[in-house]
Amino acid sequence: MASHLQLLLRLRHIALDDARQGLASRLQDAALAAAAERAAALSLWREREAASSMQATDTAVEAFAAWLPTGLKALDAAREASERAEAACAQARAKLAAARGAAEAIASMLDAEAAKARLEASRREQAILDEAALSKRPCPPL
């Protein structure tokens, strides 16, 4: 049975590696999405500052007013993408935790089997020693 558990443990380690890689990829996606959200927010702030400055012309204000719905849509889309990326990270973390738990469970089963085998070997050895001690006959007196 131990060989089956060892095979299963190897499979669990493969799944664990896949889960780690998946989380790394999702974290990278989340970082990119957060950067895009910051860029969209910064763009909106810059345009607003430019349009509200004392040097802004009526044309600049009108251009900002025309651009604002597009800028807000871009910011909303970036926020939604960032939220989706964070949700994917949470799912990847859960998958990693489950894979880690499964691998640890199999490793514990292997450890328990090894301990049981050591105990059985110790018992057999003790039985042999006990039998040898009982079979010894005292030497006749001289």
Side-chain angles (χ1 to χ4, degrees):
M1 184 164 162
S3 64
H4 292 104
L5 287 177
Q6 289 169 340
L7 175 61
L8 187 55
L9 183 60
R10 280 193 294 257
L11 293 173
R12 294 296 183 199
H13 280 290
I14 291 169
L16 185 57
D17 289 342
D18 288 345
R20 282 186 185 122
Q21 290 174 353
L23 177 58
S25 180
R26 297 298 76 76
L27 288 171
Q28 185 177 19
D29 294 346
L32 291 173
E37 181 181 356
R38 285 190 302 275
L42 183 59
S43 178
L44 184 63
W45 179 81
R46 283 183 182 153
E47 293 294 328
R48 183 178 291 140
E49 287 296 309
S52 64
S53 76
M54 296 299 279
Q55 295 83 15
T57 64
D58 287 345
T59 306
V61 173
E62 289 170 3
F64 173 71
W67 173 85
L68 184 59
T70 302
L72 290 173
K73 284 180 186 176
L75 180 58
D76 285 343
R79 280 186 181 143
E80 288 174 9
S82 185
E83 289 171 3
R84 283 191 307 273
E86 285 300 321
C89 281
Q91 288 176 339
R93 281 186 183 96
K95 185 176 179 181
L96 177 60
R100 189 175 287 140
E104 289 172 359
I106 299 301
S108 292
M109 291 172 74
L110 276 169
D111 289 344
E113 280 198 2
K116 183 179 175 184
R118 285 190 304 272
L119 180 62
E120 285 299 317
S122 177
R123 285 182 180 161
R124 282 191 303 271
E125 184 179 325
Q126 187 62 48
I128 291 169
L129 292 173
D130 290 347
E131 186 178 319
L134 288 176
S135 67
K136 285 187 180 181
R137 294 192 181 128
C139 294
L142 292 174

